[in-house]
Amino acid sequence: MDTVATVPFSSTRAYLLEARYEFLRLLRTPSFSLPCLLFPPVFYLLFGVLLGGKGGPVAAQYLLAGYGVFGVIGVALFGFGVTVALDREQGLLTLKRAQPMPPGAYLVAKMAMALLFAAIILLLLAALAAGVAHVRLSAAQWAAWAATCLVGVLPFSALGLWLGTLVGGRGAPALINLVYLPMAFLSGLWVPLTMLPKLLQPLAPAWPAYHLAQVAQQAVGVGAGRPLGLHLAVLAAITAVFFVLARRRLVQ
């Protein structure tokens, strides 16, 4: 009797393939890829360079931190929230559980996807900042800004994951926009907090984006907020809390 040879399929290859296909899936989805990749650099060019030109390089540095955070938060929230909601609604999560793939490959692939999109956004912003806005940072500052924004994907991925478990695929974009856009504005990502109404300024620390923005601002040399450790502790707590909440809903 003929025997069928089995080809070994390593768990590492499973993670890589899942990450690759997740990235290609969203890259080929214009409703996700175009806003996520184009809005942060276009808004930075408009508000940080053209309209904010009177503020000079300092204003451009401040808004570089803000729009870098704005970009990676959008990728994390929509990349996790909307796709998880759609996958749950279509039964794809159940199908993946039945497949012989590592249990964590699904989430690792989404994290890799978010990091790749975030890296592209940061490269576009850095090119505009250095080439058009004449922002001059040291190599260490550029590296610290990029690392801060990339690590910042984690807490907002956890938040997006939880939001994606609350509603179906059709309702997810609306729910995430209700969180994303007010948070970005009230955290001082689009304009300095001092330009917001005085009634709203004290509320900024209640938003997780504010804490990531404070770290990014310190990375580019324009931060003057609370101690760095406080912001990092808040972001770590957000990551843990929302990941636990999302996990509980996913296993139900």
Side-chain angles (χ1 to χ4, degrees):
M1 180 182 294
D2 294 336
T3 59
V4 178
T6 58
V7 179
F9 190 78
S10 67
S11 61
T12 300
R13 186 183 175 198
Y15 280 104
L16 293 174
L17 286 175
E18 187 73 12
R20 176 190 176 189
Y21 293 134
E22 183 68 19
F23 177 75
L24 291 176
R25 167 195 179 187
L26 292 181
L27 185 64
R28 294 169 179 171
T29 305
S31 60
F32 173 84
S33 59
L34 292 181
C36 284
L37 293 178
L38 295 182
F39 281 2
V42 168
F43 287 169
Y44 178 68
L45 182 62
L46 180 61
F47 297 108
V49 179
L50 299 180
L51 298 181
K54 295 181 180 180
V58 174
Q61 283 178 235
Y62 179 94
L63 291 175
L64 173 64
Y67 281 104
V69 171
F70 175 66
V72 301
I73 287 177
V75 167
L77 289 179
F78 285 96
F80 273 78
V82 176
T83 60
V84 167
L86 287 171
D87 291 348
R88 289 176 66 247
E89 188 174 75
Q90 297 169 359
L92 187 58
L93 285 179
T94 304
L95 175 62
K96 285 184 176 293
R97 290 192 188 104
Q99 293 176 337
M101 61 181 290
Y106 178 78
L107 292 180
V108 171
K110 289 192 177 297
M111 181 59 65
M113 169 277 301
L115 289 173
L116 284 171
F117 272 101
I120 295 171
I121 293 168
L122 296 179
L123 285 173
L124 293 173
L125 287 172
L128 287 174
V132 181
H134 307 294
V135 171
R136 297 293 177 261
L137 302 177
S138 67
Q141 287 177 314
W142 282 116
W145 169 72
T148 296
C149 292
L150 290 175
V151 174
V153 168
L154 188 59
F156 295 94
S157 295
L159 175 58
L161 183 64
W162 177 67
L163 291 173
T165 66
L166 300 179
V167 293
R170 293 183 179 181
L175 175 62
I176 291 171
N177 273 315
L178 284 174
V179 175
Y180 178 42
L181 298 179
M183 177 171 62
F185 176 70
L186 296 173
S187 298
L189 304 186
W190 295 346
V191 296
L193 285 173
T194 54
M195 297 180 64
L196 298 182
K198 291 185 178 180
L199 182 65
L200 298 178
Q201 292 178 22
L203 303 178
W207 297 94
Y210 165 84
H211 299 280
L212 182 58
Q214 291 295 309
V215 180
Q217 288 166 17
Q218 292 191 36
V220 300
V222 294
R226 294 180 174 86
L228 184 63
L230 174 63
H231 302 303
L232 295 177
V234 171
L235 293 171
I238 290 169
T239 304
V241 168
F242 283 107
F243 179 76
V244 170
L245 291 175
R247 186 176 182 276
R248 286 181 178 178
R249 291 190 60 85
L250 286 172
V251 298
Q252 288 178 355

